[in-house]
Amino acid sequence: MMRKLFCIMFLVLLCSIPAHANVSDAQDYLYQAASAAQEACSYARKAYYYASDLEEIQYYSRKAMRAAEESESYCGLAIDELYGANMDDAIMHTEDAASYAYSAYRYSRQAYQSSEYDDAQYYARKAMNEASYAESSACDAASECE
């Protein structure tokens, strides 16, 4: 009887370990997603506020595009980890972060592909805002994992 109880307790403990590891990994991915989103926001901000010509906006927009894509990728990795851990609020915030990161990527790409300075600047501003939202959502998701 004692041996059976010990085996059951061991299995319960063993089953709980991966869920905790998943949450820890997800939190790491979310911090990386937030960092990449912050980088995308910074590049988009440079494109919007500091670029003096179309080529410069395109230069910073290309960098913002890559950082936003990286942020979205980290969100996807975090979601994969969170699904096994039953963390609905964290998943919701992570999905929001991924959506915002994708929007930041899309607007950065539009700024990069624009042939007019004003259009490129408009899309750079939109990319900056979306990247900022992605960062905030990723941070919210990471705090749900604590």
Side-chain angles (χ1 to χ4, degrees):
M1 181 69 172
M2 266 316 248
R3 183 179 171 134
K4 187 175 182 181
L5 182 63
F6 175 76
C7 286
I8 291 172
M9 289 175 52
F10 179 74
L11 287 174
V12 168
L13 178 64
L14 189 61
C15 290
S16 68
I17 290 172
H20 179 68
N22 288 347
V23 173
S24 176
D25 290 346
Q27 192 174 35
D28 289 343
Y29 290 138
L30 288 165
Y31 286 133
Q32 291 171 328
S35 177
Q38 181 182 33
E39 185 178 348
C41 184
S42 176
Y43 284 127
R45 182 178 294 112
K46 288 177 183 178
Y48 179 66
Y49 285 114
Y50 304 114
S52 58
D53 58 27
L54 180 61
E55 285 181 20
E56 203 171 359
I57 289 177
Q58 290 170 332
Y59 171 78
Y60 287 123
S61 293
R62 185 176 65 246
K63 289 184 168 287
M65 201 168 55
R66 290 180 182 153
E69 188 173 39
E70 182 179 349
S71 179
E72 183 184 11
S73 177
Y74 280 123
C75 287
L77 293 171
I79 287 171
D80 289 344
E81 297 295 330
L82 289 170
Y83 270 124
N86 196 24
M87 305 275 301
D88 293 339
D89 288 344
I91 291 169
M92 180 189 67
H93 288 300
T94 305
E95 288 172 343
D96 289 347
S99 177
Y100 288 130
Y102 175 72
S103 293
Y105 167 81
R106 193 168 36 93
Y107 286 129
S108 294
R109 187 181 68 216
Q110 287 177 299
Y112 175 70
Q113 293 175 339
S114 291
S115 58
E116 299 292 328
Y117 178 85
D118 290 341
D119 292 342
Q121 193 176 40
Y122 169 79
Y123 289 122
R125 180 179 53 81
K126 296 196 64 86
M128 178 180 65
N129 291 337
E130 294 296 312
S132 176
Y133 299 148
E135 179 188 3
S136 178
S137 292
C139 287
D140 289 345
S143 71
E144 289 289 336
C145 295
E146 293 176 353

